[in-house]
């Protein structure tokens, strides 16, 4: 009888062992899930606290590293931090590298050019310097709505590329990488130009007596808002004061417009041309750039866009050669 009961006992033991193993596995899984949930909750609380600090401290959102952290906090709250870091992190990292490079461009050449841009602008406008003419007709020493409008668009230079990159990543992924590449081609091409040809903007030329006196209206705009240390703010916004030719303030809005036209068609977004046109006007009026600066900026942007789109079109054609006809047509349509 004892020998007959023994197999049953062994079976019960094995069944109990399996149940115990399952309980242990479920217990470990539950513990892991609990730890993951706690970490996610902690990450979201940290992100929320960071956003509150940014708002209350009024931190400068034009700095790439701060903008990166701000967006990371937003996507952490949305539960998409990993996707953001994987796809958007390299873009911000490369922009931050460029931002650190542009501060040393003027150290690579000690000869700052002052008179060349003045001569070109005077030649283009029959002996009249546009900055001097605009300030004599539009600036009366008091900041008005027109100045606020132009300066608002002027400072969008800093967050706008990241906003457009974010939109393309989420809504037009086929255009995200072309935009990033074209932005970097544009930025580093400008950097090389700054290193080879450091150029004084109109306000600096005015201080040196090379042109008639002009006001640096951006400082007056900040002063009207209660900020009287514009020079220190400008040093953080634009650490290289002789990075004027070409004007990236003109180039970035141009690139923005080109990609918006690519996304939606020119008939739907033609009115967005008001953005770059206003910036072009503003940078000359504020004595930050000459007309030739923004002309070159728009040419640099257009060239970067065309070269990049041509490159990606060739890459798509190469990939489509090894794909079925239907897949190739679908990829071409999304691109």
């Amino acid at each position: 009888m004892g020998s007959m009961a023994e197999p049953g006992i062994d079976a019960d033991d094995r069944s109990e062992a399996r149940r115990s193993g399952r309980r242990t596995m479920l217990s470990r899984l539950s513990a892991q899930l609990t730890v993951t949930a706690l970490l996610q909750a902690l990450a979201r609380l940290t992100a929320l606290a960071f956003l509150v600090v940014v708002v209350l401290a009024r931190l400068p959102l034009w700095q790439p590293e701060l903008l990166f952290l701000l967006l990371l906090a937003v996507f952490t709250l949305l539960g998409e931090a990993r996707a953001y870091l994987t796809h958007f992190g390299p873009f911000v990292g490369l922009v931050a590298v460029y931002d650190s490079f542009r501060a040393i461009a003027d150290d690579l050449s000690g000869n700052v050019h002052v008179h060349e841009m003045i001569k070109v602008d005077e030649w283009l406008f029959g002996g009249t310097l546009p900055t001097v003419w605009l300030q004599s007709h539009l600036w009366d020493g008091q900041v008005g709505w027109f100045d606020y409008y132009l300066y608002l668009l002027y400072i969008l230079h800093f967050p706008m590329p990241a906003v457009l990159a974010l939109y393309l990543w989420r809504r037009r992924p086929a255009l995200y990488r072309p935009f990033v590449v074209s932005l970097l081609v544009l930025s580093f091409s400008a950097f090389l130009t700054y290193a080879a040809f450091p150029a004084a903007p109109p306000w600096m030329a005015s201080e040196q007596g090379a042109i008639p006196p002009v006001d640096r209206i951006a400082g007056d705009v900040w002063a009207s808002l209660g900020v009287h240390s514009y020079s220190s703010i400008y040093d953080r916004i634009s650490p290289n004061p002789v990075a004027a030719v070409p004007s990236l303030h003109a180039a970035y809005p141009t690139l923005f417009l080109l990609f918006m036209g690519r996304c939606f068609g020119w008939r739907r977004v033609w009115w967005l041309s008001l953005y770059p046109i206003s910036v072009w006007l503003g940078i000359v009026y504020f004595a930050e750039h000459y007309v030739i600066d923004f002309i070159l900026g728009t040419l640099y942007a257009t060239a970067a866009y065309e070269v990049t789109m041509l490159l990606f079109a060739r890459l798509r054609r190469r990939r489509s050669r090894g794909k079925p006809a239907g897949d190739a047509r679908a990829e071409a349509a999304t691109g």
Side-chain angles (χ1 to χ4, degrees), residues 61-68 88-103 157-163 165 176 179-188 191 239 248 252 255:
L61 301 183
W62 55 73
Q63 295 179 348
E65 59 274 14
L66 181 58
L67 187 59
F68 170 77
F88 202 71
F91 161 74
V92 179
L94 289 171
V95 172
V97 169
Y98 163 75
D99 190 62
S100 64
F101 278 5
R102 69 190 179 113
H157 167 78
F158 304 102
M160 188 57 75
V163 171
Y176 172 69
F179 172 71
V180 172
V181 171
S182 63
L183 182 69
L184 293 175
V185 169
L186 168 61
S187 299
F188 281 96
F191 166 77
L248 283 182
Y252 283 0
L255 194 65

Side-chain angles (χ1 to χ4, degrees), residues 22-233:
R22 285 195 293 270
R23 286 195 296 269
T24 301
M25 183 177 64
L26 290 173
S27 177
R28 289 177 179 175
L29 180 61
S30 176
Q32 290 176 355
L33 291 174
T34 301
V35 171
T36 301
L38 287 174
L39 289 176
Q40 290 177 345
L42 179 61
R44 287 174 175 167
L45 286 173
T46 303
L48 182 60
F50 176 75
L51 291 175
V52 171
V53 170
V54 169
V55 173
L56 294 180
R58 299 178 181 179
L59 297 178
L61 301 183
W62 55 73
Q63 295 179 348
E65 59 274 14
L66 181 58
L67 187 59
F68 170 77
L69 293 175
L70 178 67
L71 292 173
L72 176 59
V74 171
F75 278 93
T76 299
L77 292 175
L78 297 175
E80 298 186 39
R82 180 177 296 179
Y84 169 77
L85 289 172
T86 301
H87 295 90
F88 202 71
F91 161 74
V92 179
L94 289 171
V95 172
V97 169
Y98 163 75
D99 190 62
S100 64
F101 278 5
R102 69 190 179 113
I104 65 171
D106 59 330
D107 296 329
L108 302 178
S109 175
N111 181 25
V112 177
H113 299 267
V114 178
H115 300 282
E116 292 89 335
M117 297 75 63
I118 299 171
K119 293 178 180 178
V120 173
D121 269 26
E122 290 179 339
W123 175 76
L124 288 173
F125 293 91
T128 300
L129 200 62
T131 296
V132 176
W133 187 90
L134 284 172
Q135 290 203 6
S136 67
H137 287 77
L138 300 177
W139 176 245
D140 60 1
Q142 299 294 323
V143 178
W145 69 267
F146 183 68
D147 306 297
Y148 289 120
Y149 163 74
L150 292 178
Y151 195 70
L152 173 62
L153 296 183
Y154 176 81
I155 62 175
L156 286 180
H157 167 78
F158 304 102
M160 188 57 75
V163 171
L164 179 56
L166 184 63
Y167 173 80
L168 294 176
W169 168 47
R170 303 293 291 181
R171 298 296 183 181
R172 295 289 193 278
L175 288 175
Y176 172 69
R177 288 182 180 176
F179 172 71
V180 172
V181 171
S182 63
L183 182 69
L184 293 175
V185 169
L186 168 61
S187 299
F188 281 96
S189 298
F191 166 77
L192 293 175
T193 308
Y194 300 151
F197 190 85
W203 62 265
M204 185 181 292
S206 176
E207 290 179 350
Q208 297 178 9
I211 65 173
V214 293
D215 288 340
R216 200 172 183 189
I217 298 175
D220 294 282
V221 173
W222 281 103
S224 70
L225 298 173
V227 179
H228 299 280
S229 56
Y230 174 67
S231 58
S232 61
I233 294 175

Side-chain angles (χ1 to χ4, degrees), residues 257-262 264-271 305:
L257 182 63
L258 290 170
F259 272 92
M260 292 303 287
R262 184 86 179 190
F264 300 105
W266 290 106
R267 290 185 178 180
R268 297 178 62 183
V269 301
W270 62 267
W271 56 273
Y305 170 82

Side-chain angles (χ1 to χ4, degrees), residues 309-319:
M309 298 310 296
L310 180 61
L311 172 64
F312 274 85
R314 288 183 176 180
L315 292 175
R316 283 196 300 270
R317 284 196 296 269
R318 287 184 180 180
R319 289 196 300 265

Side-chain angles (χ1 to χ4, degrees), residues 235-259:
D235 289 341
R236 279 182 278 171
I237 295 176
S238 182
N240 182 6
V242 294
V245 179
S247 168
L248 283 182
H249 276 90
Y252 283 0
T254 302
L255 194 65
F256 170 86
L257 182 63
L258 290 170
F259 272 92

